[in-house]
Amino acid sequence: MDEKRIEEELKKVWGETPISHSNDTKEASWEKFQSEAFPVKKQKFKTWRYYAAAAAILIFGLTGTGIYFNSSPLQDTIYMASNVVENTTSKVKTVLLPDNSSVELSPNSKIVYANNFESNRKIEIEGEAYFKVKKDKKHPFQVFCNETTTTVLGTSFTVTGQDEDGVIVNLYEGSVQMNVKGQTQKWILKPGEKFTYGNKIASVIEFNRFMDFDNEKLTVVSDYIEANYGYKMIIPQEYSNQRITVRINKKEDLKTIVQLLSEMYNLNFEINDELKQITFR
């Protein structure tokens, strides 16, 4: 039986095996197996084989958004030609990165990233920031804070630097892998888990990433939005005493929450970013 026939038969068997993972993940694992069984000399295929192998590892070890770990972060490369963004105000500052990832930078915080960020997605933080990472399987997104590295491909999480080299990472969506300088152990977080590092000790615990409203007045949700997003919500008087039961991710996009409320009550809405105001009609 020639190599082509063998490849067809093996791929047929592969496709018939019941796997609960996504098609993209299965395809990546197949490509890894194929590359090892039938190596190709082209350089571009070698590059793909590297990423396929990384993706295949995810099948057996990870859930949620895929990530992989780089044991040599090369943190110093950030400073070769870098951008520095500081938030010296008393309000959260939103920063759009060159790869369309976004950072909500807390007051008295700073980030540093290279000019070639789209291909070198490494970023250092002092203080606290919430990251929403654009998926890019070929370019891992790494956040350096004190002695820790958080590595992701696409997810949302907060990183908070503490005194004495401490760090707290809260994961809201996806999956991230943590490593600590000088330690071989790796920690893989799931949504709702918090990684804490301080005094050379690391731990992972659960935290509540949702805000629950159980038969609350709609005005209570309005107060929550104003307190956490800085937007005043104006609703028709007849809806003021309406009751609502809903669960909201504490780091959910404001527009998503507003859209949900509009559909629940069949109302139109308008967001005025200049006045920081949301009007329902």
Side-chain angles (χ1 to χ4, degrees):
M1 185 178 295
D2 57 26
E3 287 187 352
K4 183 176 180 181
R5 181 66 182 279
I6 293 173
E7 180 181 351
E8 291 176 351
E9 291 298 320
L10 288 173
K11 194 167 186 177
K12 180 179 178 182
V13 172
W14 177 272
E16 293 175 349
T17 303
I19 298 177
S20 59
H21 302 280
S22 68
N23 291 333
D24 288 344
T25 307
K26 290 188 290 186
E27 183 178 281
S29 297
W30 163 252
E31 293 293 345
K32 172 184 179 294
F33 174 83
Q34 184 186 52
S35 66
E36 293 176 349
F38 310 102
V40 177
K41 295 181 180 180
K42 293 182 180 180
Q43 181 64 33
K44 65 178 183 179
F45 184 77
K46 289 182 180 179
T47 303
W48 165 245
R49 182 171 60 184
Y50 172 82
Y51 294 112
I57 294 172
L58 301 175
I59 291 179
F60 302 100
L62 306 179
T63 59
T65 304
I67 61 95
Y68 72 88
F69 169 68
N70 183 345
S71 60
S72 302
L74 300 177
Q75 187 172 354
D76 292 340
T77 61
I78 294 177
Y79 296 100
M80 294 178 63
S82 60
N83 299 279
V84 179
V85 181
E86 294 186 73
N87 185 2
T88 58
T89 73
S90 60
K91 297 182 179 180
V92 172
K93 180 177 183 178
T94 300
V95 181
L96 185 64
L97 298 173
D99 68 338
N100 288 323
S101 295
S102 65
V103 182
E104 293 180 11
L105 193 61
S106 295
N108 303 313
S109 299
K110 178 175 74 173
I111 56 173
V112 182
Y113 60 91
N115 285 340
N116 62 338
F117 185 78
E118 289 182 87
S119 59
N120 178 33
R121 300 205 303 169
K122 295 178 173 64
I123 188 166
E124 183 170 344
I125 176 177
E126 293 180 12
E128 179 180 76
Y130 171 63
F131 295 86
K132 294 200 74 172
V133 179
K134 183 78 171 180
K135 291 183 180 180
D136 184 346
K137 293 181 180 180
K138 293 185 178 180
H139 302 102
F141 190 106
Q142 292 185 307
V143 180
F144 303 100
C145 186
N146 295 334
E147 296 183 348
T148 69
T149 302
T150 305
T151 305
V152 306
L153 285 182
T155 190
S156 62
F157 58 98
T158 57
V159 176
T160 306
Q162 305 285 299
D163 294 336
E164 303 297 332
D165 294 328
V167 173
I168 297 174
V169 176
N170 290 278
L171 180 63
Y172 289 89
E173 297 175 1
S175 180
V176 300
Q177 178 171 289
M178 301 299 306
N179 78 292
V180 175
K181 183 179 179 180
Q183 297 191 25
T184 58
Q185 184 176 354
K186 306 176 184 68
W187 295 264
I188 297 171
L189 304 188
K190 297 179 294 185
E193 289 186 334
K194 174 196 295 187
F195 174 88
T196 302
Y197 175 75
N199 298 320
K200 306 298 181 182
I201 299 174
S203 63
V204 176
I205 61 173
E206 293 185 352
F207 74 99
N208 186 6
R209 60 192 172 112
F210 297 106
M211 183 66 188
D212 291 315
F213 297 92
D214 187 9
N215 197 33
E216 297 277 6
K217 287 185 178 181
L218 191 54
T219 52
V220 175
V221 179
S222 176
D223 293 340
Y224 172 81
I225 289 175
E226 186 170 3
N228 290 273
Y229 295 88
Y231 279 71
K232 183 176 179 58
M233 201 169 91
I234 301 174
I235 56 179
Q237 184 62 38
E238 60 269 28
Y239 287 86
S240 298
N241 293 320
Q242 287 282 342
R243 298 282 176 171
I244 185 171
T245 297
V246 67
R247 165 172 281 194
I248 298 174
N249 188 317
K250 291 179 180 178
K251 290 297 183 180
E252 188 63 81
D253 288 335
L254 174 61
K255 190 172 182 179
T256 301
I257 299 174
V258 173
Q259 183 69 43
L260 172 65
L261 295 176
S262 72
E263 291 178 358
M264 290 178 69
Y265 293 99
N266 196 27
L267 292 170
N268 295 320
F269 68 89
E270 180 182 349
I271 300 178
N272 189 320
D273 293 317
E274 198 170 309
L275 297 177
K276 298 289 185 179
Q277 187 171 287
I278 306 163
T279 303
F280 287 90
R281 296 184 177 86

